[in-house]
Amino acid sequence: MWTGIIIAVAVLLGLAAVFGALLGFAAERFKVEGNPLVDQIDALLPQTQCGQCGFPGCRPYAEAINNGEAINKCPPGGEATINALADLLDVEPQPLDAEHGAAQAKRVAVIREDECIGCTKCIQACPVDAILGAAKHMHTVIESECTGCDLCVEPCPVDCIDIIVIEPDIRSWTWAPPVVLDKAPNEVPSATDARVIATDSQAETREASLL
Amino acid sequence: MALVQQSSPHAHRARPTSRVMLWVIIAAVPGLLAQTVFFGWGNLINVVWCIALALATEAAILKWRSKPVGFFLKDNTAAVTGLLLGLSLPQFAPWWVSAVAVFSAIVVAKQLYGGLGSNPFNPAMVGYALVLISFPLAMTTNWAAPVGLWQDAPGFGETLSAIASGQQTAVDGWTMATPLDEYKHKVGSHTAAEITIHPTFGNFVARGWEWVNAAFLAGGLVLLALRIISWHIPVGFLGGLVAMSLLFGTNADQYAPLSLHLLAGGTMLGAFFIATDPVSAATSHQGKLIYAVGIGALVYLIRSWGNYPDAVAFSVLLMNFAVPFIDYYTPPRTYGHHKARRGLPTRKQD
Amino acid sequence: MATKTSREIIRDGLWSNNPALVQVLGLCPLLAVTSTVVNALGLGLATLLVLMGSNLAVSLIRNFVNESVRLPAFVMIIASFVTCAELLMQAYTYELYQILGIFIPLIVTNCAILGRADAFASRNPPGLALLDGAMMGLGFLAVLVVLGAMRELIGQGTLFADMHLLLGPVAAEWTLRPFADYPNMLFMMLPPGAFMGLGLLIALKNVIDSRIEEKRKAAQVETVSAGSKRVRVTGSLS
Amino acid sequence: MTQLWNFGGGVHPPENKSQSNSRPIRPAGLPAKLILPLQQHIGEPARCIVEPGQKVLKGEVIAQVGNGMGVPVHAPTSGIVERISLEPVPHPSGMSDTCVVLIPDGEERWCELVPQPEYRKLERDQVLALIRQAGIVGLGGAGFPTNIKLRPSVDRKVDTLILNGAECEPYITADDMTMREKADQVMAGLRIMAWLLRPARVVIGIEENKPEAIAALRQAAEGSKTEIAVIPTIYPSGGEKQLIQILTGQEVPSGGIPADIGVMCQNIGTAVAVADAILQGKPLISRVMTATGEALAEPGNFEVLVGTPTSHLLTCAGVDKQRMSRLVLGGPMMGYTLPNTDIPLIKPSNCVIAASASELPAPAPEQPCIRCGQCAEACPMELLPQQLFWHAKATEFEKAEHLNLFDCIECGACSYVCPSSIPLVQYYRFAKGEIRLQRAEQQKSDRARVRFEARQQRLDREQQEKDQRRKDRALAAAKAQEQKTADAQTRAQDGTVTDERAGKSALVEQALARKKAKTAAASAERTEPSTQLSEEAAPSETFAPENADKTPAAETAPSVEELEQQLTQAQAKLEKMQSMLEDARSGQAPNVDKLERAVDKNIERVRRAQRAIDDAQQQAVPANRNAEPALSRSND
Amino acid sequence: MATMAQSISRSAIGLGLFAVITGGTIALTQAVTKERIAEQAARAEAAALFEIIPESAHSNDMLNDTISLPDAAVLNSGEAPSAWVARQQSDLVGFIIPVTATDGYSGDINLLVGITPSGELLGVRVTGHHETPGLGDRIETRKSDWVYQFNGHSLANTPGKQWNVKKNGGEFDQFTGATITPRAVVKAVHKTLVYVRKHQAEIRQSLGLPVERGNRKQRNAVASHFSEPEH
Amino acid sequence: MTEYLLILVSTILVNNFVLVQFLGLCPFMGVSGKLETAMGMSLATTFVLTLSSVCSYLAYTYLLEPLNLAFLKTITFILVIAVVVQFTEMVVRKTSPLLYRVLGIFLPLITTNCAVLGVALLNLNRNNNFVESLLYGFGAALGFSLVLIFFAAMRERIAVSDVPVAFRGAAIGMVTAGLMALAFLGFTGLVSV
Ligand SMILES: Cc1cc2nc3c(=O)[nH]c(=O)nc-3n(C[C@H](O)[C@H](O)[C@H](O)COP(=O)(O)O)c2cc1C
Ligand SMILES: Cc1cc2nc3c(=O)[nH]c(=O)nc-3n(C[C@H](O)[C@H](O)[C@H](O)COP(=O)(O)O)c2cc1C
Ligand SMILES: Cc1cc2nc3c(=O)[nH]c(=O)nc-3n(C[C@H](O)[C@H](O)[C@H](O)COP(=O)(O)O)c2cc1C
Ligand SMILES: Cc1cc2nc3c(=O)[nH]c(=O)nc-3n(C[C@H](O)[C@H](O)[C@H](O)CO)c2cc1C
Ligand code: SF4
Ligand code: SF4
Ligand code: SF4
Ligand code: SF4
Ligand code: FES
């Protein structure tokens, strides 16, 4: 009986030692560092740099996600970003974490120029250098570069910065998706939904001043 | 006065889904009639029972999912599913076999996936396959013998009570092995001549079955003419079957002859009514051909070497399974492109 | 990782992180051997024992393994437990062992076990690890048995048939036949029935969870305040 | 006989053309006012060059080309500019855009016109400039500036010029009637375009359901090399890409334009407009439009001034308001509904359908797609409409794009045949819009990332430099200190022992003074003294979030602390403002009043913050969170 | 390179250590349970045999009392099949032959056929098959009593034509819906009986019986063929 | 030759590892959310499964059997598999980042894929020789890949359907797998092995 056991142990020991050595060799020989995933995650974040996620900027959050942080903490990105991240990381999308703020419409900062005292505080606060101006001179926001992060609002001593929602105009307008009537009647979204322009499924009618 | 606001187009061709489905039902009538003429009342009773049950089940499940019941019932698709089950189940299948089939077709195969349009598998065939493997006894012994071979032919009332009695097997003498079954079990040990002595083969190909198949073929041609189905699927299906048959030889002592493959069992019903189920079939022309040829080949394969004498249900399900994949790789070539873009969009990598 | 309380471990294993219903792991034995209660119970018990043993062992040695051989080491521990279980079953419930076939040795690759070893036992003290193993094992066992009962009942119209294979002659008479004259629904005994049965169980759990969640929501008022976790990325006020 | 090819797909909707093509083209006359949108074309809006109250002549330019691609807008009649304002314009969104509103004076006084019947003697570029000055855009659909289209880039030679007389949409007969009645003008315009492009082949494609137009054009084209190709009646044979395929067998590459394969396609109406512009010098101020539909007593074609309100045209055609349930601008396949009849008709508008409820009934509600493939059969672009639909509906835009969503020409053939009456085209439009938005956002966020990283680098660099400077200075100071200590020591050694203590305190005092001076000097580098603190704190804070927020404890921490922090911040702000104000006052700076206002505001803010703290302290600890919104409101 | 060597040795030793512990555990368990397992396996194997010839009906160690059969290809039961012999004291009770029916509905059906020395069936059992559950599986005793009807039949009391299912004009019941499976079993059993009659002489010889009844010399069983079945 | 072909047909279709034999289900359910990943997983599994089938065969035939250590087979096989997997992962990671992106992340999952150990054990049960072991492993992997890829494509479609909430995710996946298994029952009897 004991010889059997000893043979068994010896064989297994031999195998294990060989395999262990192999793995030890490989661990050393094929060592790699770095992770390209962070870049991919970062590319999906909106780069608003607003810190609402609880991280100082998008990249730190990207790194945190790579280390297992939840993906639902970026309000500016909203659902679209969460879905994109979920897709990339192959996890279930979660609803936006309300503790970090709610998803908002696209916004920009506007400086009320006659009130601006030229203190340059906002310039220092803007993470993307979207504010132009020199000391003691009126400042302006470059609208196309502003991410709407509202970090400049707080530091302004005279509160002359407004964050305004970008209203769609005729040139930025896009079609809304049709409304589908396959829910029970009480679940049908109301036809007065602002995004609904016209649908085939629900002939929405508008008052018209005829002639 | 208010003006209607709507996105284009403002004109629509008037052939709604419900009408399409109605046409499918109408086109199946010749086949049903032929079945009734050649195999008695069984199919008719089954069809009525299955349709009623299908509608009731669909209504119940829609209610449970809090969907508008009337709106969806009116599309007639549940009726088509019930109809096709009724047409394909054995004539003397006990009522509960049909019920299980209808229930699994409507609930499991259709509504669990979101109802009309979303089901990846053909509901009727799911129901059929499920009862076939669940109740092999009831599903293999209840085929009616063709009219003329009945000893003591059952009338409508007797058929109805046989079905309603719920017995797993019908009265001996009313039933008979189907030609495919018979051939399958004797081929190899018997010669073709010996096999076809059996009365189920009749004088031509397969007594009764040949006419039923012809009737379904006729109905299918109507659907083709109405452009409710496109030619790719029936042609692919039958083409695949014929090609396999020619490939493996026409020696009737070894393999069932082509005529039997084409005119017995559910071949025509399958080719024109079942494989063509638009929801679970492939999308593009090329995809449809691949899908249908696959079904035809599998039918031959399983009929010749597998355990199941008629393989339409399994073949259809197997190819349904491949459909999403086929669809990814057979998009049509779009105007202005050199070749079709196959597969998935590659993720943008920067 | 914050250590979990035993309460959480119990709840996790049995319900909220159930290996079969939530993690959807260990599916092969789960589906393959659940055609009857007795098979399910047999494999479930074996898995439970192995899980407890391996969790305990891994937790004990958790500070001594080096990274490159971690996985093989864990796997070896599990494999040794499994082999012991296999040998014991062969010795004491031979018929059952034959029915369960290769799924006994395949406990080794039950992802749930290695998963627990790696995710929990290797980071927690032995006591908790043992508890976790027990709870995960019980959760798995429970699903196995429920699925087994469901399939046995629908598939062949019996419950607790052939229990003597596991529990000895006393159990030979335990078979229940709730329906007289039941036409066996073979589908349930075959692979498709296994998949669908589990699908049904998972859906059932979802339904229950959402009910509980609704109740909880109704009882609880919203306390998070939007945006409370913001961090400044630039500048500061002074 | 011209060789014809087929294109895939296509549908045969009922034509409904006889209602409007049985009457000759009638003038629609002068409406009470004309509304002229500044943008009636693809490109940038034109720049308005008139003022309210200004009198303008017929044909006078009232808006010049803006800074992008575009064409001018002309006054369609003489009159007075009433206002320049946002008015609803013909657009699927039903939104408003800037328009010039013109009140006609009824005199119809033309400005001076310069006909160029001898255009062949001019440079090509001159002729193109005339076309542009005449405000001509494509009248067949998109409204693309014709002069740009007629000047293909050097590497693309146009071999085939196609005149699109297909008019495949039901109801519309504007081109049909134009061809019948103005065949000579059509040919004249075609000749001008042919002269500009020098194509090897000139074809006019006309659907076979317009025999009169075919006859008229055949007659007018007698003797020229122009081919009159009679093409089968199938929608959308008039689509540029389809027509090109029918007439040449070639396909316009995806994402490209017809010029890429040496083809150009122009509309009948465009040809007439070109002829008028060159031969008579008339700008594009009116066009032929079809007014049809069951709600009209006398449907037909009208010569309509650009900017005419729809109501005017409808009145001309004898509208029965009660019967009208839907007003479509364009054809029933591609047109869009108008919300009211005030909306003006513009250059690319070719048809108004005042439909009764039975004529264009509301479709059944959308049902699920049954993948029947009818749509794919109908699609002239050979797309997979149902797949596009599934992806668009599921907002899987990447996949929709992969299946060539952007090749869809929105012809509506798929929706037309769909048995489940799915508004497919709307889904595609939605998806296209979203994709464009996403692209724009992606671009913007990429830019933001670059800017953010650049800023971080800059800050780091500055910080390093500053650190370096400080180190240098510290080093220097230390050296000096050493020197001093050494000096002091030597002095102490030299001096009396009683002096030692005094010497030491003197040293300390000196050091303090130096430090003060240094701080002052450093802050002088910046605009204001206290900035330095924040500046120096910034980098460390940038990556170390306020620890109170990071630790779990912060979640439960009483918000009184936060409030206090807010208060100190507000106080700090206030102090700073006050000091700035004093500075400004002493310096007689111009922004004194601004600063006064700011100081007042900050005093108020401090008070509010104080109040909020008091409130918060009174309440129980859990309630503190609720105080927070009040505070953030106080920031307004 | 030092790290490499270190890494190698560390891993090797670490894994080796585990190997010793785990290997030891397994080997120990195996050593402890070995005998019981062998016994269990043997008993399981024997269960079917004992159903045909119960333990009360014989006294020898039937499992180890086997004879090899001549020319057994007809039985399709493996390369060198051997039959188990049951004896009560010195009387020969019967022997059990493993047989395979190849023409089942799907795949082979493995049978054990027990025969008395006089060629009468002691019993038939199915040990393995792939027939359709619910249809063909009624050849199992767990599912139906069908196989018991063979008991007592012999070539003598059942003429050749009767060795078929009733449907084909034979003696034996088929079951509803499945004729192929029972026919295959009946055929195989019949074939076995025919085989035994044909090879009577050899079998008697290897049983240690005189070709002419009389010589009852005991012979040691040929036990070596029996091997533990793979699981 | 036909014999080998039959092994392939049998393992790919008739006795499909996933749908009929219940092996490798965890990755089958877990990595089938996206077609792209499913393809990566298939490649990785095919490689490992074939390799470890052969390696285990060799280890058993030339080590365990001669030494009469059959009872060590489970632990030996799993050790072989773990090492093959881990070694492959390390090598791929280092040498081909591209390949690693496609397969790398799936490799660790394969250790706990029952199919891999299952193949090793079934090779013994079936007394497969070397070539048969190779083919058996390869066929099993092909069968696994086939259903995994089809299943992934199907799940992408299901993901956009209006599935009742309780069934979203794993539950409907199970039902679908069940229906697929139902379809695969059609192959029974095709090859009697
Ligand atoms: C966005 C856009 C860009 C275009 N760019 C050019 C161009 O560069 N050169 C050109 O000759 N035509 C150009 N075209 C005109 C098209 O080739 C086409 O003739 C015109 O859009 C009329 O098409 P439709 O009415 O069928 O939509 C452009 C059209 C669009 C919509
Ligand atoms: C579906 C579809 C149908 C069209 N039908 C016509 C038509 O019947 N007649 C026409 O002149 N243009 C039609 N167009 C517009 C042409 O594609 C093309 O833009 C026009 O002929 C170019 O000429 P233009 O630049 O002079 O407008 C259609 C466009 C689409 C997308
Ligand atoms: C799915 C299926 C499974 C079957 N399984 C069996 C079986 O296990 N055994 C059998 O004898 N016949 C089986 N059959 C064959 C049929 O029941 C066949 O009709 C019958 O055996 C012929 O018998 P008959 O001569 O009594 O009609 C099966 C048939 C089907 C369709
Ligand atoms: C040509 C055609 C064939 C059909 N075939 C089937 C079928 O085989 N099985 C079925 O359940 N429904 C069939 N239907 C009905 C319908 O498509 C089916 O119920 C959907 O699969 C339900 O989502 C068919 C419909 C059409 C138009
Ligand atoms: S919340 Fe979003 S946008 Fe703001 S910093 Fe975090 S990741 Fe960037
Ligand atoms: S201007 Fe203000 S809102 Fe805009 S990006 Fe800069 S800090 Fe953010
Ligand atoms: S026509 Fe409509 S129902 Fe048919 S496939 Fe296209 S979108 Fe679906
Ligand atoms: S609208 Fe687009 S998808 Fe539909 S038929 Fe026209 S081109 Fe095809
Ligand atoms: S249990 Fe088989 S792969 Fe997980």
Side-chain angles (χ1 to χ4, degrees), chain B residues 1 4-6 8-11 13 15-17 116-117 227 278-279 283 285 332-337 341-343, chain D residues 241 251-252 254 324-326 332 335 337-339 363 368-370 374 377 381 386 402 404 407 415-416 419-420 429:
Chain B
M1 170 90 207
V4 175
Q5 294 297 295
Q6 197 171 60
S8 67
H10 306 282
R13 187 170 70 183
R15 191 166 76 187
T17 303
L116 175 62
R227 297 179 143 266
V279 178
T283 308
H285 292 169
R333 186 203 65 101
T334 304
Y335 176 104
H337 287 256
R341 293 217 216 158
R342 290 164 204 285
Chain D
K241 293 177 172 163
E251 293 183 3
V252 181
S254 168
M324 184 165 82
S325 88
R326 173 183 332 214
T337 48
L338 296 179
C369 168
I370 54 168
Q374 303 284 334
E377 299 285 332
M381 297 301 286
Q386 74 271 48
H402 184 75
N404 305 323
D407 284 307
S415 301
Y416 175 76
S420 292
R429 288 174 175 150

Side-chain angles (χ1 to χ4, degrees), chain A residues 21-200:
Chain A
L22 193 65
L23 288 182
F25 164 75
E28 200 49 44
R29 172 75 181 71
F30 301 109
K31 209 181 208 160
V32 276
E33 264 121 40
N35 193 339
L37 196 59
V38 174
D39 285 336
Q40 288 181 29
I41 297 173
D42 194 34
L44 293 177
L45 295 174
Q47 304 302 326
T48 311
Q49 315 292 0
C50 63
Q52 290 185 64
C53 45
F55 295 89
C58 299
R59 176 112 201 153
Y61 182 39
E63 273 153 15
I65 289 178
N66 185 41
N67 294 330
E69 187 62 65
I71 58 172
N72 62 345
K73 299 189 165 178
C74 173
E79 202 183 330
T81 297
I82 295 175
N83 288 341
L85 286 173
D87 197 42
L88 174 71
L89 304 171
D90 218 357
V91 295
E92 285 290 307
Q94 305 145 309
L96 188 66
D97 184 348
E99 275 190 68
H100 294 272
Q104 288 159 327
K106 294 285 158 214
R107 312 177 311 163
V108 282
V110 175
I111 297 181
R112 286 196 300 279
E113 299 180 349
D114 53 338
E115 289 176 35
C116 171
I117 53 169
C119 69
T120 74
K121 286 272 157 200
C122 55
I123 296 192
Q124 294 158 34
C126 178
V128 292
D129 284 343
I131 302 181
L132 274 184
K136 298 206 176 150
H137 287 277
M138 182 180 87
H139 290 31
T140 46
V141 175
I142 315 171
E143 193 184 321
S144 62
E145 304 299 341
C146 171
T147 62
C149 69
D150 83 13
L151 286 170
C152 51
V153 173
E154 184 79 11
C156 176
V158 292
D159 288 341
C160 69
I161 304 180
D162 290 328
I163 296 287
I164 59 167
V165 172
I166 306 175
E167 296 287 345
D169 68 355
I170 198 164
R171 271 164 273 278
S172 67
W173 173 86
T174 55
W175 283 84
V179 180
V180 185
L181 181 94
D182 68 345
K183 303 270 187 316
N186 53 356
E187 285 178 57
V188 176
S190 83
T192 49
D193 184 336
R195 296 268 286 155
V196 179
I197 299 298
T199 81
D200 264 8

Side-chain angles (χ1 to χ4, degrees), chain E residues 22 24 60 69 114 128 132 158 217:
Chain E
T22 53
N60 64 333
L69 297 175
T132 316
T158 315
K217 207 177 97 197

Side-chain angles (χ1 to χ4, degrees), chain D residues 217-419:
Chain D
L217 274 183
R218 284 235 161 94
Q219 203 185 353
E222 196 84 322
S224 73
K225 282 203 298 181
T226 308
E227 295 169 43
I228 312 286
V230 181
I231 60 173
T233 306
I234 181 170
Y235 179 83
S237 62
E240 187 174 64
K241 293 177 172 163
Q242 283 65 42
L243 189 61
I244 289 171
Q245 192 171 22
I246 292 175
L247 295 176
T248 69
Q250 284 177 289
E251 293 183 3
V252 181
S254 168
I257 55 172
D260 294 345
I261 51 166
V263 184
M264 173 162 303
C265 180
Q266 297 283 357
N267 172 248
I268 293 288
T270 314
V272 173
V274 167
D276 284 352
I278 301 299
L279 302 178
Q280 301 179 32
K282 285 188 192 170
L284 178 54
I285 54 167
S286 73
R287 64 161 298 165
V288 178
M289 282 184 209
T290 307
T292 182
E294 282 183 1
L296 300 182
E298 290 180 48
N301 285 282
F302 295 85
E303 186 74 36
V304 183
L305 293 180
V306 171
T308 302
T310 316
S311 52
H312 178 80
L313 178 60
L314 293 179
T315 320
C316 292
V319 68
D320 174 355
K321 286 180 263 173
Q322 252 45 56
R323 290 198 68 191
M324 184 165 82
S325 88
R326 173 183 332 214
L327 191 58
V328 179
L329 184 65
M333 300 299 284
M334 293 189 65
Y336 45 88
T337 48
L338 296 179
N340 59 53
T341 56
D342 298 334
I343 290 175
L345 298 166
I346 56 171
K347 292 175 188 173
S349 316
N350 53 3
C351 176
V352 174
I353 307 173
S356 68
S358 60
E359 191 178 12
L360 296 179
E366 174 180 337
Q367 283 171 291
C369 168
I370 54 168
R371 295 180 201 272
C372 65
Q374 303 284 334
C375 48
E377 299 285 332
C379 179
M381 297 301 286
E382 293 160 86
L383 294 161
L384 279 177
Q386 74 271 48
Q387 292 298 90
L388 293 178
F389 155 69
W390 280 93
H391 295 323
K393 188 169 180 176
T395 65
E396 289 178 335
F397 299 130
E398 237 171 69
K399 287 186 190 157
E401 230 185 308
H402 184 75
L403 288 176
N404 305 323
L405 173 66
F406 279 95
D407 284 307
C408 166
I409 56 171
E410 303 181 13
C411 68
C414 49
S415 301
Y416 175 76
V417 294
C418 176

Side-chain angles (χ1 to χ4, degrees), chain D residues 2-16:
Chain D
T2 318
Q3 153 139 45
L4 299 181
W5 283 264
N6 278 329
F7 66 88
V11 291
H12 293 278
E15 287 175 16
N16 284 313

